Amino acid sequence: MTTVDREIARFGLPYIDVLKIDTEGYDPTVLSGAYLALLAHRINVITFEYNTVWNRVNATLQQCVRYMDDLGYVCFYDGPRLFKISGTCWDDRYEIKKWTNIVCVARGSVLELEFLAGTLVFGPRLGRPEPPPRRGWWLKMWQGLGRKKSSGAKPNA
């Protein structure tokens, strides 16, 4: 077995643009093996899955988001629109144990600004329309966090 940090050293990689993790519940373990690269911000974008199989490694999404936050990354639910879950945006209701993707970018980077411009929190303020109503858990979570269903009206230009 190896780690992301060992493979970066072995191949002499100065940085990684995107690290896509899909290890069927062992995603937090892979992230811990990328500690040095994450600490040095040698990875621009990290995406991983979150679901019930995280129980295999006794990890929670909150632990993982705090780990990434401590290393200087901002994390988002990767849904119909990005939904920030790092720092003061964390809410215990995010620990839903449903299959979803999480995407993280370095705090203060241009990518973070781009991501924030497309989030549920910041997007509408920048003149972007609300996402269309969707069925299922995502809509229920979105509405449960105080968001209103889109009326379908177009924003004023």
Side-chain angles (χ1 to χ4, degrees):
M1 189 178 314
T2 189
T3 67
V4 173
D5 285 334
R6 285 187 200 135
E7 293 302 301
I8 287 173
R10 183 168 75 112
F11 289 104
L13 301 173
Y15 64 90
I16 296 175
D17 286 322
V18 178
L19 177 63
K20 167 71 173 133
I21 305 169
D22 184 356
T23 55
E24 303 306 320
Y26 295 95
D27 302 39
T29 305
V30 173
L31 287 169
S32 69
Y35 177 79
L36 295 175
L38 293 168
L39 184 63
H41 289 189
R42 292 175 65 188
I43 304 173
N44 294 329
V45 177
I46 304 97
T47 180
F48 55 91
E49 290 183 333
Y50 167 67
N51 56 41
T52 57
V53 294
W54 276 33
N55 293 334
R56 295 175 181 170
V57 293
N58 295 319
T60 66
L61 181 59
Q62 184 177 26
Q63 290 169 335
C64 192
V65 168
R66 283 187 178 164
Y67 172 77
M68 296 300 290
D69 195 43
D70 289 346
L71 292 171
Y73 285 83
V74 180
C75 297
F76 301 82
Y77 270 123
D78 187 4
R81 297 268 301 268
L82 294 174
F83 195 93
K84 185 177 175 186
I85 59 175
S86 288
T88 59
C89 292
W90 176 260
D91 187 298
D92 288 339
R93 292 175 286 182
Y94 297 156
E95 204 71 63
I96 55 175
K97 295 287 185 183
K98 296 263 187 183
W99 179 88
T100 190
N101 287 316
I102 306 297
V103 61
C104 305
V105 295
R107 187 179 302 109
S109 68
V110 171
L111 280 175
E112 180 191 10
L113 296 176
E114 292 288 332
F115 279 30
L116 287 172
T119 65
L120 290 171
V121 175
F122 294 99
R125 291 186 194 159
L126 297 174
R128 289 179 170 80
E130 293 280 336
R134 297 188 186 266
R135 295 187 176 150
W137 68 269
W138 182 261
L139 178 63
K140 289 176 187 171
M141 182 185 75
W142 184 42
Q143 291 171 333
L145 295 172
R147 300 296 299 180
K148 294 181 183 176
K149 233 194 245 189
S150 174
S151 64
K154 294 182 181 179
N156 294 332

